[in-house]
Amino acid sequence: MPLRDLALGLGVVAIWALNIIVIKLGVAELPPLLLTTLRFLLVAALLVPFHPVARHQLPFLALLSLTFGTLHFAMLFIGLEQAEAGTGALLVQMGTPFATLLAVLFLKERLGPRRLAGLVLSFAGIVVLAGGPTLPAPLPTALLLVSALGWAISQLLIKQGPNVPPMALAGWVALFATPQVALGSWWFEQGQVVALAEAGWAGWGAVFYTAVMSSILAYGVWYGLLRRHPVNRVVPMVLLVPVLAVGLGVMLLGDGLGPHKLVGGGLVVAGIALIVLRLGPRRTPAEASS
C-alpha cells in the first residue's frame, strides 16, 4: 500500500478511536438519545439530498435503520454514558464475533478452526473483562453488547440486501432512524430543551464530530481505500481502533488500565484478528471484490 494510502487508513483509525472519546464528552452535556437524534439529523441533511435511492430500496433502508440506526447507534450512545471509553470500545468490537455466529447460523457459512479459535478467544476476553473493575454495571454492559449485535445483524442485512452506495446508505438510514430515536428521547429522557440551551463545545462538537468526521469523512475515505486495495490489506487496520481507544481513554479521560483490561482486551483483539485476517497468498483487488 502506498505511504499516502497507509496514512489515510491510519487517519481513519484515529478518527474512529477518538469518536468513542467524543461520544463520552458529548453525553456529559446532552442526553444520549438526543445526541444520537442530532447526529442522525445532520448526517441525513448532508447526504440525502445528494444521494438519491430507488423506491424499491426504501423498505430495506427502513429495516436497516432499526438495526443499524436505533439498535446499534442509540444503544452505543446510551451505553457509553455509563461505561469507560476503552472498555466500551472493546465490548462493541464483539460485533465481529456476533456477525460470524449469525453468518454460520443463518447463511450456513463454514466456520473453520481458525475462526472458531477467534470466537473462543473473543468471548474469553469478555469473561476476563467481566472479572475486572472497569466493566460497567450490567445494564450498560448489556446495552453495549446489544449495540454490537445490532451492528452484526446490519452487516448480514447489507450482505443479503440490494446494492446501495455507502454514502446513500448512511444518509437514508440516518433519515429513517431520526424519528425513531427522537421518539425514544421524548419518551425516556428529560430536560432536552435545557440541555440544548446549556450545551457547550463538547456537546455541539460531539454532534459535528460523530456526524461529519466519523460517519461521512472517515467512511468516505475508508471505502475509497477498499476500492483501491485488496480487502485483506485494508480491514486489518480496524484492529487498531479499540487499542487506540483504550489508550486515549487512559490519557484523556483518566480511565483505568489494569491487568483485566489488558489481558481481556488483548484476547478480544486477538480473537477478532483470527476472524477477519485472511491468511494465504495475496489477492488482487479484482479477486478481493469478487
Side-chain angles (χ1 to χ4, degrees):
M1 185 181 296
L3 184 60
R4 173 181 173 273
D5 282 356
L6 178 61
L8 287 173
L10 293 176
V12 170
V13 167
I15 289 173
W16 284 339
L18 187 58
N19 189 55
I20 301 294
I21 309 299
V22 170
I23 292 172
K24 282 288 298 180
L25 296 175
V27 294
E29 293 196 356
L30 294 170
L33 289 177
L34 177 61
L35 177 58
T36 313
T37 301
L38 296 172
R39 173 209 179 273
F40 282 143
L41 272 174
L42 185 55
V43 171
L46 293 175
L47 292 181
V48 167
F50 308 102
H51 298 277
V53 296
R55 182 173 297 179
H56 71 272
Q57 295 173 329
L58 294 179
F60 165 72
L61 293 167
L63 174 61
L64 198 60
S65 72
L66 288 169
T67 62
F68 199 42
T70 300
L71 200 59
H72 171 58
F73 278 107
M75 296 304 103
L76 172 64
F77 279 50
I78 297 173
L80 282 177
E81 184 183 26
Q82 304 176 54
E84 283 192 357
T87 305
L90 290 169
L91 290 174
V92 173
Q93 294 303 310
M94 291 302 294
T96 298
F98 288 159
T100 302
L101 285 175
L102 292 175
V104 171
L105 290 174
F106 296 103
L107 303 183
K108 307 304 180 184
E109 289 189 2
R110 181 176 175 271
L111 187 58
R114 179 170 56 83
R115 292 205 295 171
L116 178 60
L119 288 175
V120 172
L121 284 178
S122 299
F123 285 101
I126 296 300
V127 172
V128 173
L129 284 172
T134 64
L135 195 75
L139 180 57
T141 297
L143 291 175
L144 289 167
L145 291 175
V146 168
S147 172
L149 180 62
W151 182 91
I153 296 171
S154 301
Q155 301 315 299
L156 265 67
L157 290 175
I158 292 171
K159 186 173 183 178
Q160 299 296 109
N163 185 21
V164 181
M167 290 295 101
L169 187 146
W172 286 88
V173 164
L175 180 66
F176 284 123
T178 296
Q180 300 169 33
V181 184
L183 181 61
S185 178
W186 174 77
W187 187 265
F188 294 108
E189 296 176 337
Q190 296 178 344
Q192 292 92 328
V193 175
V194 174
L196 288 172
E198 296 180 352
W201 66 268
W204 292 110
V207 174
F208 175 84
Y209 189 96
T210 57
V212 177
M213 298 297 294
S214 180
S215 291
I216 298 176
L217 177 62
Y219 274 105
V221 173
W222 188 255
Y223 287 118
L225 292 174
L226 288 174
R227 285 193 297 269
R228 296 193 295 272
H229 301 286
V231 173
N232 60 336
R233 294 185 192 176
V234 179
V235 170
M237 285 190 282
V238 176
L239 296 172
L240 296 173
V241 172
V243 178
L244 186 55
V246 169
L248 290 172
V250 172
M251 290 187 296
L252 301 179
L253 301 178
D255 289 352
L257 186 63
H260 287 86
K261 183 183 285 188
L262 288 172
V263 175
L267 288 172
V268 170
V269 173
I272 295 171
L274 285 176
I275 293 171
V276 303
L277 293 181
R278 295 182 178 273
L279 305 179
R282 293 181 177 178
R283 299 183 300 167
T284 65
E287 292 172 331
S289 61
S290 63

